[in-house]
Amino acid sequence: MGLSSRSAVAIHALTMLARWGERTLTSAEIADSLASNPVLVRRILGSLRDAGLVWATEGRGGGWSLARPAREITLYDAYRAVEAGPILSRHPHEPSSQCEVGRNIQALLEVEFQDAERAMEERLGRTTIAHLVQRTLDIERELALPTR
């Protein structure tokens, strides 16, 4: 599996839900912020729900909310909820055993790819959704300051 935008969409949705706290948001409201389709957002939210990160209430006034405090949800939690398989694609088929590169490249790449994936997981695990909300608010405050 290669790279996709599912993680970015999931993190965006979680950050919105955290930002508005007690208020539930509809998939259409989240989709508006993403300039995306509500159906795509509902699919992502479904995966986040299955992972225990969000929950939904139905009916009038219903919508999506965080299932845990934002400080307890990392970017890696969001990534893991919506992405399947390794980050870096492996060979789609066995390389030629008649070539010295072909015989050895998969084992060599596996070590490199696993190290890179572990580094990414560790980095995403250090940042919480609460961090992103705070950084968003900080940036907005900075932009609102009058210039001299």
Side-chain angles (χ1 to χ4, degrees), residues 61-101:
W64 296 89
S65 301
L66 294 181
R68 305 191 321 226
R71 70 182 176 281
E72 295 177 11
I73 301 172
T74 68
L75 302 190
Y76 182 64
D77 293 330
Y79 164 80
R80 195 175 57 219
V82 298
E83 299 291 352
I87 301 158
L88 299 168
S89 296
R90 280 29 179 205
H91 278 84
H93 53 80
E94 191 76 26
S96 171
S97 62
Q98 303 302 310
C99 169
E100 66 251 6
V101 173

PDB file of all heavy atoms in Angstrom, residues 61-101:
ATOM      1  N   GLY A  61     -29.913  17.127  15.770  1.00  0.00           N
ATOM      2  CA  GLY A  61     -28.837  17.616  16.626  1.00  0.00           C
ATOM      3  C   GLY A  61     -27.695  16.628  16.794  1.00  0.00           C
ATOM      4  O   GLY A  61     -26.781  16.869  17.564  1.00  0.00           O
ATOM      5  N   GLY A  62     -27.757  15.526  16.065  1.00  0.00           N
ATOM      6  CA  GLY A  62     -26.703  14.514  16.165  1.00  0.00           C
ATOM      7  C   GLY A  62     -25.465  14.916  15.405  1.00  0.00           C
ATOM      8  O   GLY A  62     -25.424  15.943  14.724  1.00  0.00           O
ATOM      9  N   GLY A  63     -24.461  14.128  15.550  1.00  0.00           N
ATOM     10  CA  GLY A  63     -23.206  14.382  14.856  1.00  0.00           C
ATOM     11  C   GLY A  63     -22.090  13.575  15.481  1.00  0.00           C
ATOM     12  O   GLY A  63     -22.327  12.621  16.224  1.00  0.00           O
ATOM     13  N   TRP A  64     -20.868  13.982  15.206  1.00  0.00           N
ATOM     14  CA  TRP A  64     -19.674  13.267  15.632  1.00  0.00           C
ATOM     15  C   TRP A  64     -18.989  14.006  16.771  1.00  0.00           C
ATOM     16  O   TRP A  64     -18.968  15.234  16.792  1.00  0.00           O
ATOM     17  CB  TRP A  64     -18.714  13.124  14.460  1.00  0.00           C
ATOM     18  CG  TRP A  64     -19.274  12.284  13.365  1.00  0.00           C
ATOM     19  CD1 TRP A  64     -20.029  12.715  12.312  1.00  0.00           C
ATOM     20  CD2 TRP A  64     -19.133  10.881  13.220  1.00  0.00           C
ATOM     21  NE1 TRP A  64     -20.360  11.651  11.512  1.00  0.00           N
ATOM     22  CE2 TRP A  64     -19.825  10.511  12.047  1.00  0.00           C
ATOM     23  CE3 TRP A  64     -18.489   9.892  13.957  1.00  0.00           C
ATOM     24  CZ2 TRP A  64     -19.890   9.202  11.606  1.00  0.00           C
ATOM     25  CZ3 TRP A  64     -18.550   8.582  13.514  1.00  0.00           C
ATOM     26  CH2 TRP A  64     -19.248   8.252  12.348  1.00  0.00           C
ATOM     27  N   SER A  65     -18.410  13.243  17.684  1.00  0.00           N
ATOM     28  CA  SER A  65     -17.661  13.784  18.818  1.00  0.00           C
ATOM     29  C   SER A  65     -16.459  12.890  19.077  1.00  0.00           C
ATOM     30  O   SER A  65     -16.445  11.726  18.667  1.00  0.00           O
ATOM     31  CB  SER A  65     -18.511  13.785  20.092  1.00  0.00           C
ATOM     32  OG  SER A  65     -19.660  14.550  19.926  1.00  0.00           O
ATOM     33  N   LEU A  66     -15.486  13.428  19.793  1.00  0.00           N
ATOM     34  CA  LEU A  66     -14.353  12.611  20.219  1.00  0.00           C
ATOM     35  C   LEU A  66     -14.815  11.616  21.279  1.00  0.00           C
ATOM     36  O   LEU A  66     -15.610  11.955  22.154  1.00  0.00           O
ATOM     37  CB  LEU A  66     -13.232  13.479  20.798  1.00  0.00           C
ATOM     38  CG  LEU A  66     -12.520  14.431  19.845  1.00  0.00           C
ATOM     39  CD1 LEU A  66     -11.424  15.178  20.597  1.00  0.00           C
ATOM     40  CD2 LEU A  66     -11.944  13.699  18.655  1.00  0.00           C
ATOM     41  N   ALA A  67     -14.294  10.419  21.215  1.00  0.00           N
ATOM     42  CA  ALA A  67     -14.621   9.391  22.196  1.00  0.00           C
ATOM     43  C   ALA A  67     -13.645   9.420  23.376  1.00  0.00           C
ATOM     44  O   ALA A  67     -13.919   8.799  24.405  1.00  0.00           O
ATOM     45  CB  ALA A  67     -14.603   8.007  21.542  1.00  0.00           C
ATOM     46  N   ARG A  68     -12.538  10.117  23.213  1.00  0.00           N
ATOM     47  CA  ARG A  68     -11.522  10.249  24.265  1.00  0.00           C
ATOM     48  C   ARG A  68     -11.051  11.696  24.275  1.00  0.00           C
ATOM     49  O   ARG A  68     -11.196  12.405  23.280  1.00  0.00           O
ATOM     50  CB  ARG A  68     -10.298   9.361  23.972  1.00  0.00           C
ATOM     51  CG  ARG A  68     -10.619   7.918  23.757  1.00  0.00           C
ATOM     52  CD  ARG A  68      -9.410   7.004  23.740  1.00  0.00           C
ATOM     53  NE  ARG A  68      -8.205   7.445  23.106  1.00  0.00           N
ATOM     54  CZ  ARG A  68      -7.482   6.703  22.272  1.00  0.00           C
ATOM     55  NH1 ARG A  68      -7.871   5.498  21.951  1.00  0.00           N
ATOM     56  NH2 ARG A  68      -6.364   7.172  21.774  1.00  0.00           N
ATOM     57  N   PRO A  69     -10.418  12.126  25.361  1.00  0.00           N
ATOM     58  CA  PRO A  69      -9.864  13.480  25.362  1.00  0.00           C
ATOM     59  C   PRO A  69      -8.804  13.651  24.269  1.00  0.00           C
ATOM     60  O   PRO A  69      -8.042  12.716  23.971  1.00  0.00           O
ATOM     61  CB  PRO A  69      -9.220  13.594  26.752  1.00  0.00           C
ATOM     62  CG  PRO A  69      -9.924  12.575  27.592  1.00  0.00           C
ATOM     63  CD  PRO A  69     -10.256  11.443  26.647  1.00  0.00           C
ATOM     64  N   ALA A  70      -8.768  14.834  23.689  1.00  0.00           N
ATOM     65  CA  ALA A  70      -7.831  15.119  22.591  1.00  0.00           C
ATOM     66  C   ALA A  70      -6.384  14.912  23.005  1.00  0.00           C
ATOM     67  O   ALA A  70      -5.548  14.543  22.180  1.00  0.00           O
ATOM     68  CB  ALA A  70      -8.036  16.540  22.084  1.00  0.00           C
ATOM     69  N   ARG A  71      -6.068  15.120  24.267  1.00  0.00           N
ATOM     70  CA  ARG A  71      -4.688  14.932  24.751  1.00  0.00           C
ATOM     71  C   ARG A  71      -4.293  13.453  24.789  1.00  0.00           C
ATOM     72  O   ARG A  71      -3.131  13.141  24.958  1.00  0.00           O
ATOM     73  CB  ARG A  71      -4.502  15.594  26.108  1.00  0.00           C
ATOM     74  CG  ARG A  71      -5.223  14.915  27.238  1.00  0.00           C
ATOM     75  CD  ARG A  71      -5.050  15.647  28.577  1.00  0.00           C
ATOM     76  NE  ARG A  71      -5.837  15.014  29.600  1.00  0.00           N
ATOM     77  CZ  ARG A  71      -7.144  15.162  29.780  1.00  0.00           C
ATOM     78  NH1 ARG A  71      -7.825  15.969  28.992  1.00  0.00           N
ATOM     79  NH2 ARG A  71      -7.777  14.532  30.737  1.00  0.00           N
ATOM     80  N   GLU A  72      -5.283  12.560  24.629  1.00  0.00           N
ATOM     81  CA  GLU A  72      -5.014  11.121  24.640  1.00  0.00           C
ATOM     82  C   GLU A  72      -5.047  10.505  23.244  1.00  0.00           C
ATOM     83  O   GLU A  72      -4.927   9.289  23.097  1.00  0.00           O
ATOM     84  CB  GLU A  72      -6.027  10.409  25.542  1.00  0.00           C
ATOM     85  CG  GLU A  72      -5.917  10.795  26.997  1.00  0.00           C
ATOM     86  CD  GLU A  72      -6.975  10.123  27.854  1.00  0.00           C
ATOM     87  OE1 GLU A  72      -7.665   9.202  27.372  1.00  0.00           O
ATOM     88  OE2 GLU A  72      -7.112  10.541  29.019  1.00  0.00           O
ATOM     89  N   ILE A  73      -5.219  11.323  22.223  1.00  0.00           N
ATOM     90  CA  ILE A  73      -5.259  10.827  20.841  1.00  0.00           C
ATOM     91  C   ILE A  73      -4.046  11.370  20.108  1.00  0.00           C
ATOM     92  O   ILE A  73      -3.890  12.581  19.959  1.00  0.00           O
ATOM     93  CB  ILE A  73      -6.544  11.263  20.114  1.00  0.00           C
ATOM     94  CG1 ILE A  73      -7.790  10.754  20.856  1.00  0.00           C
ATOM     95  CG2 ILE A  73      -6.532  10.750  18.668  1.00  0.00           C
ATOM     96  CD1 ILE A  73      -9.100  11.314  20.314  1.00  0.00           C
ATOM     97  N   THR A  74      -3.184  10.478  19.638  1.00  0.00           N
ATOM     98  CA  THR A  74      -2.000  10.910  18.901  1.00  0.00           C
ATOM     99  C   THR A  74      -2.261  10.867  17.401  1.00  0.00           C
ATOM    100  O   THR A  74      -3.206  10.226  16.932  1.00  0.00           O
ATOM    101  CB  THR A  74      -0.777  10.016  19.213  1.00  0.00           C
ATOM    102  OG1 THR A  74      -1.016   8.702  18.676  1.00  0.00           O
ATOM    103  CG2 THR A  74      -0.492   9.943  20.708  1.00  0.00           C
ATOM    104  N   LEU A  75      -1.375  11.521  16.683  1.00  0.00           N
ATOM    105  CA  LEU A  75      -1.467  11.463  15.218  1.00  0.00           C
ATOM    106  C   LEU A  75      -1.258  10.034  14.737  1.00  0.00           C
ATOM    107  O   LEU A  75      -1.849   9.608  13.743  1.00  0.00           O
ATOM    108  CB  LEU A  75      -0.442  12.402  14.583  1.00  0.00           C
ATOM    109  CG  LEU A  75      -0.531  13.879  14.979  1.00  0.00           C
ATOM    110  CD1 LEU A  75       0.383  14.715  14.090  1.00  0.00           C
ATOM    111  CD2 LEU A  75      -1.938  14.392  14.973  1.00  0.00           C
ATOM    112  N   TYR A  76      -0.444   9.276  15.466  1.00  0.00           N
ATOM    113  CA  TYR A  76      -0.257   7.869  15.089  1.00  0.00           C
ATOM    114  C   TYR A  76      -1.543   7.072  15.295  1.00  0.00           C
ATOM    115  O   TYR A  76      -1.851   6.194  14.490  1.00  0.00           O
ATOM    116  CB  TYR A  76       0.907   7.240  15.861  1.00  0.00           C
ATOM    117  CG  TYR A  76       1.142   5.814  15.438  1.00  0.00           C
ATOM    118  CD1 TYR A  76       1.545   5.522  14.138  1.00  0.00           C
ATOM    119  CD2 TYR A  76       0.927   4.760  16.310  1.00  0.00           C
ATOM    120  CE1 TYR A  76       1.731   4.221  13.717  1.00  0.00           C
ATOM    121  CE2 TYR A  76       1.119   3.452  15.893  1.00  0.00           C
ATOM    122  CZ  TYR A  76       1.515   3.180  14.600  1.00  0.00           C
ATOM    123  OH  TYR A  76       1.689   1.884  14.189  1.00  0.00           O
ATOM    124  N   ASP A  77      -2.318   7.378  16.328  1.00  0.00           N
ATOM    125  CA  ASP A  77      -3.606   6.706  16.510  1.00  0.00           C
ATOM    126  C   ASP A  77      -4.492   6.930  15.281  1.00  0.00           C
ATOM    127  O   ASP A  77      -5.138   5.996  14.793  1.00  0.00           O
ATOM    128  CB  ASP A  77      -4.339   7.250  17.740  1.00  0.00           C
ATOM    129  CG  ASP A  77      -3.654   6.930  19.053  1.00  0.00           C
ATOM    130  OD1 ASP A  77      -2.970   5.879  19.156  1.00  0.00           O
ATOM    131  OD2 ASP A  77      -3.789   7.744  19.995  1.00  0.00           O
ATOM    132  N   ALA A  78      -4.517   8.173  14.807  1.00  0.00           N
ATOM    133  CA  ALA A  78      -5.326   8.497  13.625  1.00  0.00           C
ATOM    134  C   ALA A  78      -4.803   7.760  12.397  1.00  0.00           C
ATOM    135  O   ALA A  78      -5.580   7.176  11.637  1.00  0.00           O
ATOM    136  CB  ALA A  78      -5.323   9.999  13.383  1.00  0.00           C
ATOM    137  N   TYR A  79      -3.500   7.786  12.223  1.00  0.00           N
ATOM    138  CA  TYR A  79      -2.892   7.090  11.087  1.00  0.00           C
ATOM    139  C   TYR A  79      -3.261   5.605  11.096  1.00  0.00           C
ATOM    140  O   TYR A  79      -3.727   5.045  10.108  1.00  0.00           O
ATOM    141  CB  TYR A  79      -1.364   7.270  11.113  1.00  0.00           C
ATOM    142  CG  TYR A  79      -0.657   6.297  10.221  1.00  0.00           C
ATOM    143  CD1 TYR A  79      -0.580   6.524   8.856  1.00  0.00           C
ATOM    144  CD2 TYR A  79      -0.112   5.115  10.726  1.00  0.00           C
ATOM    145  CE1 TYR A  79       0.028   5.616   8.018  1.00  0.00           C
ATOM    146  CE2 TYR A  79       0.498   4.205   9.894  1.00  0.00           C
ATOM    147  CZ  TYR A  79       0.563   4.457   8.540  1.00  0.00           C
ATOM    148  OH  TYR A  79       1.142   3.545   7.718  1.00  0.00           O
ATOM    149  N   ARG A  80      -3.054   4.985  12.241  1.00  0.00           N
ATOM    150  CA  ARG A  80      -3.296   3.542  12.366  1.00  0.00           C
ATOM    151  C   ARG A  80      -4.763   3.196  12.123  1.00  0.00           C
ATOM    152  O   ARG A  80      -5.076   2.127  11.600  1.00  0.00           O
ATOM    153  CB  ARG A  80      -2.838   3.074  13.743  1.00  0.00           C
ATOM    154  CG  ARG A  80      -2.709   1.571  13.862  1.00  0.00           C
ATOM    155  CD  ARG A  80      -2.150   1.150  15.197  1.00  0.00           C
ATOM    156  NE  ARG A  80      -2.985   1.677  16.267  1.00  0.00           N
ATOM    157  CZ  ARG A  80      -2.536   2.162  17.401  1.00  0.00           C
ATOM    158  NH1 ARG A  80      -1.265   2.215  17.654  1.00  0.00           N
ATOM    159  NH2 ARG A  80      -3.364   2.621  18.316  1.00  0.00           N
ATOM    160  N   ALA A  81      -5.670   4.107  12.467  1.00  0.00           N
ATOM    161  CA  ALA A  81      -7.100   3.852  12.300  1.00  0.00           C
ATOM    162  C   ALA A  81      -7.533   3.827  10.839  1.00  0.00           C
ATOM    163  O   ALA A  81      -8.500   3.149  10.494  1.00  0.00           O
ATOM    164  CB  ALA A  81      -7.909   4.905  13.057  1.00  0.00           C
ATOM    165  N   VAL A  82      -6.835   4.563   9.982  1.00  0.00           N
ATOM    166  CA  VAL A  82      -7.330   4.718   8.608  1.00  0.00           C
ATOM    167  C   VAL A  82      -6.418   4.145   7.525  1.00  0.00           C
ATOM    168  O   VAL A  82      -6.841   4.038   6.371  1.00  0.00           O
ATOM    169  CB  VAL A  82      -7.636   6.197   8.282  1.00  0.00           C
ATOM    170  CG1 VAL A  82      -8.726   6.730   9.204  1.00  0.00           C
ATOM    171  CG2 VAL A  82      -6.399   7.063   8.347  1.00  0.00           C
ATOM    172  N   GLU A  83      -5.200   3.811   7.864  1.00  0.00           N
ATOM    173  CA  GLU A  83      -4.273   3.297   6.848  1.00  0.00           C
ATOM    174  C   GLU A  83      -4.073   1.790   7.035  1.00  0.00           C
ATOM    175  O   GLU A  83      -3.969   1.309   8.163  1.00  0.00           O
ATOM    176  CB  GLU A  83      -2.920   3.998   6.946  1.00  0.00           C
ATOM    177  CG  GLU A  83      -2.973   5.492   6.730  1.00  0.00           C
ATOM    178  CD  GLU A  83      -3.300   5.926   5.316  1.00  0.00           C
ATOM    179  OE1 GLU A  83      -3.355   5.085   4.400  1.00  0.00           O
ATOM    180  OE2 GLU A  83      -3.507   7.127   5.132  1.00  0.00           O
ATOM    181  N   ALA A  84      -3.991   1.099   5.940  1.00  0.00           N
ATOM    182  CA  ALA A  84      -3.765  -0.346   5.974  1.00  0.00           C
ATOM    183  C   ALA A  84      -2.409  -0.656   5.361  1.00  0.00           C
ATOM    184  O   ALA A  84      -2.037  -0.092   4.339  1.00  0.00           O
ATOM    185  CB  ALA A  84      -4.865  -1.065   5.193  1.00  0.00           C
ATOM    186  N   GLY A  85      -1.685  -1.529   6.002  1.00  0.00           N
ATOM    187  CA  GLY A  85      -0.418  -1.979   5.445  1.00  0.00           C
ATOM    188  C   GLY A  85       0.722  -1.031   5.702  1.00  0.00           C
ATOM    189  O   GLY A  85       0.570  -0.007   6.361  1.00  0.00           O
ATOM    190  N   PRO A  86       1.871  -1.370   5.180  1.00  0.00           N
ATOM    191  CA  PRO A  86       3.062  -0.548   5.390  1.00  0.00           C
ATOM    192  C   PRO A  86       2.967   0.785   4.646  1.00  0.00           C
ATOM    193  O   PRO A  86       2.206   0.923   3.693  1.00  0.00           O
ATOM    194  CB  PRO A  86       4.197  -1.404   4.834  1.00  0.00           C
ATOM    195  CG  PRO A  86       3.546  -2.335   3.869  1.00  0.00           C
ATOM    196  CD  PRO A  86       2.149  -2.548   4.369  1.00  0.00           C
ATOM    197  N   ILE A  87       3.749   1.736   5.086  1.00  0.00           N
ATOM    198  CA  ILE A  87       3.765   3.062   4.469  1.00  0.00           C
ATOM    199  C   ILE A  87       4.453   3.005   3.115  1.00  0.00           C
ATOM    200  O   ILE A  87       3.980   3.554   2.126  1.00  0.00           O
ATOM    201  CB  ILE A  87       4.520   4.054   5.370  1.00  0.00           C
ATOM    202  CG1 ILE A  87       3.843   4.130   6.722  1.00  0.00           C
ATOM    203  CG2 ILE A  87       4.615   5.423   4.732  1.00  0.00           C
ATOM    204  CD1 ILE A  87       4.743   4.636   7.813  1.00  0.00           C
ATOM    205  N   LEU A  88       5.609   2.381   3.093  1.00  0.00           N
ATOM    206  CA  LEU A  88       6.407   2.310   1.878  1.00  0.00           C
ATOM    207  C   LEU A  88       6.089   1.013   1.130  1.00  0.00           C
ATOM    208  O   LEU A  88       6.119  -0.065   1.705  1.00  0.00           O
ATOM    209  CB  LEU A  88       7.895   2.382   2.232  1.00  0.00           C
ATOM    210  CG  LEU A  88       8.302   3.670   2.946  1.00  0.00           C
ATOM    211  CD1 LEU A  88       9.705   3.549   3.521  1.00  0.00           C
ATOM    212  CD2 LEU A  88       8.213   4.843   1.990  1.00  0.00           C
ATOM    213  N   SER A  89       5.808   1.144  -0.139  1.00  0.00           N
ATOM    214  CA  SER A  89       5.450  -0.022  -0.950  1.00  0.00           C
ATOM    215  C   SER A  89       6.640  -0.944  -1.150  1.00  0.00           C
ATOM    216  O   SER A  89       7.768  -0.494  -1.356  1.00  0.00           O
ATOM    217  CB  SER A  89       4.926   0.426  -2.313  1.00  0.00           C
ATOM    218  OG  SER A  89       3.741   1.156  -2.150  1.00  0.00           O
ATOM    219  N   ARG A  90       6.353  -2.210  -1.092  1.00  0.00           N
ATOM    220  CA  ARG A  90       7.360  -3.235  -1.356  1.00  0.00           C
ATOM    221  C   ARG A  90       7.225  -3.685  -2.811  1.00  0.00           C
ATOM    222  O   ARG A  90       6.304  -3.281  -3.514  1.00  0.00           O
ATOM    223  CB  ARG A  90       7.137  -4.431  -0.431  1.00  0.00           C
ATOM    224  CG  ARG A  90       7.624  -4.383   1.013  1.00  0.00           C
ATOM    225  CD  ARG A  90       7.699  -3.076   1.677  1.00  0.00           C
ATOM    226  NE  ARG A  90       8.160  -3.194   3.070  1.00  0.00           N
ATOM    227  CZ  ARG A  90       7.894  -2.330   3.987  1.00  0.00           C
ATOM    228  NH1 ARG A  90       7.172  -1.271   3.717  1.00  0.00           N
ATOM    229  NH2 ARG A  90       8.353  -2.481   5.214  1.00  0.00           N
ATOM    230  N   HIS A  91       8.137  -4.553  -3.250  1.00  0.00           N
ATOM    231  CA  HIS A  91       8.048  -5.085  -4.614  1.00  0.00           C
ATOM    232  C   HIS A  91       6.692  -5.760  -4.809  1.00  0.00           C
ATOM    233  O   HIS A  91       6.263  -6.521  -3.942  1.00  0.00           O
ATOM    234  CB  HIS A  91       9.143  -6.134  -4.849  1.00  0.00           C
ATOM    235  CG  HIS A  91      10.468  -5.555  -5.196  1.00  0.00           C
ATOM    236  ND1 HIS A  91      11.348  -5.112  -4.250  1.00  0.00           N
ATOM    237  CD2 HIS A  91      11.061  -5.352  -6.389  1.00  0.00           C
ATOM    238  CE1 HIS A  91      12.437  -4.662  -4.841  1.00  0.00           C
ATOM    239  NE2 HIS A  91      12.293  -4.787  -6.141  1.00  0.00           N
ATOM    240  N   PRO A  92       6.054  -5.523  -5.954  1.00  0.00           N
ATOM    241  CA  PRO A  92       4.763  -6.163  -6.198  1.00  0.00           C
ATOM    242  C   PRO A  92       4.902  -7.658  -6.523  1.00  0.00           C
ATOM    243  O   PRO A  92       3.935  -8.398  -6.434  1.00  0.00           O
ATOM    244  CB  PRO A  92       4.202  -5.387  -7.390  1.00  0.00           C
ATOM    245  CG  PRO A  92       5.411  -4.838  -8.074  1.00  0.00           C
ATOM    246  CD  PRO A  92       6.436  -4.597  -7.013  1.00  0.00           C
ATOM    247  N   HIS A  93       6.103  -8.064  -6.902  1.00  0.00           N
ATOM    248  CA  HIS A  93       6.367  -9.479  -7.196  1.00  0.00           C
ATOM    249  C   HIS A  93       7.842  -9.773  -6.912  1.00  0.00           C
ATOM    250  O   HIS A  93       8.655  -8.856  -6.777  1.00  0.00           O
ATOM    251  CB  HIS A  93       6.012  -9.835  -8.644  1.00  0.00           C
ATOM    252  CG  HIS A  93       6.664  -8.933  -9.642  1.00  0.00           C
ATOM    253  ND1 HIS A  93       7.964  -9.075 -10.042  1.00  0.00           N
ATOM    254  CD2 HIS A  93       6.186  -7.840 -10.295  1.00  0.00           C
ATOM    255  CE1 HIS A  93       8.268  -8.122 -10.904  1.00  0.00           C
ATOM    256  NE2 HIS A  93       7.207  -7.357 -11.074  1.00  0.00           N
ATOM    257  N   GLU A  94       8.185 -11.012  -6.816  1.00  0.00           N
ATOM    258  CA  GLU A  94       9.559 -11.439  -6.506  1.00  0.00           C
ATOM    259  C   GLU A  94      10.523 -11.013  -7.622  1.00  0.00           C
ATOM    260  O   GLU A  94      10.312 -11.335  -8.780  1.00  0.00           O
ATOM    261  CB  GLU A  94       9.577 -12.965  -6.359  1.00  0.00           C
ATOM    262  CG  GLU A  94      10.845 -13.538  -5.798  1.00  0.00           C
ATOM    263  CD  GLU A  94      10.969 -13.331  -4.302  1.00  0.00           C
ATOM    264  OE1 GLU A  94       9.947 -13.198  -3.628  1.00  0.00           O
ATOM    265  OE2 GLU A  94      12.113 -13.280  -3.838  1.00  0.00           O
ATOM    266  N   PRO A  95      11.595 -10.271  -7.282  1.00  0.00           N
ATOM    267  CA  PRO A  95      12.592  -9.908  -8.292  1.00  0.00           C
ATOM    268  C   PRO A  95      13.359 -11.158  -8.781  1.00  0.00           C
ATOM    269  O   PRO A  95      13.295 -12.220  -8.163  1.00  0.00           O
ATOM    270  CB  PRO A  95      13.549  -8.969  -7.554  1.00  0.00           C
ATOM    271  CG  PRO A  95      12.801  -8.497  -6.363  1.00  0.00           C
ATOM    272  CD  PRO A  95      11.869  -9.609  -6.003  1.00  0.00           C
ATOM    273  N   SER A  96      14.091 -10.976  -9.831  1.00  0.00           N
ATOM    274  CA  SER A  96      14.839 -12.081 -10.429  1.00  0.00           C
ATOM    275  C   SER A  96      15.945 -12.577  -9.499  1.00  0.00           C
ATOM    276  O   SER A  96      16.764 -11.802  -9.008  1.00  0.00           O
ATOM    277  CB  SER A  96      15.473 -11.630 -11.748  1.00  0.00           C
ATOM    278  OG  SER A  96      16.354 -12.618 -12.226  1.00  0.00           O
ATOM    279  N   SER A  97      15.973 -13.866  -9.296  1.00  0.00           N
ATOM    280  CA  SER A  97      17.043 -14.470  -8.491  1.00  0.00           C
ATOM    281  C   SER A  97      18.321 -14.643  -9.318  1.00  0.00           C
ATOM    282  O   SER A  97      19.356 -15.006  -8.779  1.00  0.00           O
ATOM    283  CB  SER A  97      16.590 -15.820  -7.940  1.00  0.00           C
ATOM    284  OG  SER A  97      16.325 -16.703  -9.005  1.00  0.00           O
ATOM    285  N   GLN A  98      18.267 -14.370 -10.616  1.00  0.00           N
ATOM    286  CA  GLN A  98      19.422 -14.484 -11.497  1.00  0.00           C
ATOM    287  C   GLN A  98      20.326 -13.253 -11.430  1.00  0.00           C
ATOM    288  O   GLN A  98      21.422 -13.244 -11.977  1.00  0.00           O
ATOM    289  CB  GLN A  98      18.956 -14.703 -12.950  1.00  0.00           C
ATOM    290  CG  GLN A  98      18.065 -15.913 -13.139  1.00  0.00           C
ATOM    291  CD  GLN A  98      18.760 -17.187 -12.675  1.00  0.00           C
ATOM    292  OE1 GLN A  98      19.886 -17.471 -13.052  1.00  0.00           O
ATOM    293  NE2 GLN A  98      18.085 -17.944 -11.822  1.00  0.00           N
ATOM    294  N   CYS A  99      19.864 -12.206 -10.741  1.00  0.00           N
ATOM    295  CA  CYS A  99      20.601 -10.943 -10.664  1.00  0.00           C
ATOM    296  C   CYS A  99      21.022 -10.718  -9.220  1.00  0.00           C
ATOM    297  O   CYS A  99      20.243 -10.925  -8.298  1.00  0.00           O
ATOM    298  CB  CYS A  99      19.679  -9.819 -11.130  1.00  0.00           C
ATOM    299  SG  CYS A  99      20.302  -8.156 -10.812  1.00  0.00           S
ATOM    300  N   GLU A 100      22.275 -10.270  -9.038  1.00  0.00           N
ATOM    301  CA  GLU A 100      22.729 -10.053  -7.650  1.00  0.00           C
ATOM    302  C   GLU A 100      21.916  -8.970  -6.945  1.00  0.00           C
ATOM    303  O   GLU A 100      21.681  -9.042  -5.743  1.00  0.00           O
ATOM    304  CB  GLU A 100      24.225  -9.751  -7.569  1.00  0.00           C
ATOM    305  CG  GLU A 100      24.644  -8.445  -8.196  1.00  0.00           C
ATOM    306  CD  GLU A 100      25.427  -8.598  -9.473  1.00  0.00           C
ATOM    307  OE1 GLU A 100      25.586  -9.721  -9.987  1.00  0.00           O
ATOM    308  OE2 GLU A 100      25.876  -7.560  -9.961  1.00  0.00           O
ATOM    309  N   VAL A 101      21.459  -7.958  -7.657  1.00  0.00           N
ATOM    310  CA  VAL A 101      20.603  -6.953  -7.039  1.00  0.00           C
ATOM    311  C   VAL A 101      19.243  -7.575  -6.710  1.00  0.00           C
ATOM    312  O   VAL A 101      18.740  -7.445  -5.590  1.00  0.00           O
ATOM    313  CB  VAL A 101      20.440  -5.708  -7.942  1.00  0.00           C
ATOM    314  CG1 VAL A 101      19.408  -4.752  -7.374  1.00  0.00           C
ATOM    315  CG2 VAL A 101      21.785  -5.004  -8.131  1.00  0.00           C
TER     316      VAL A 101
END
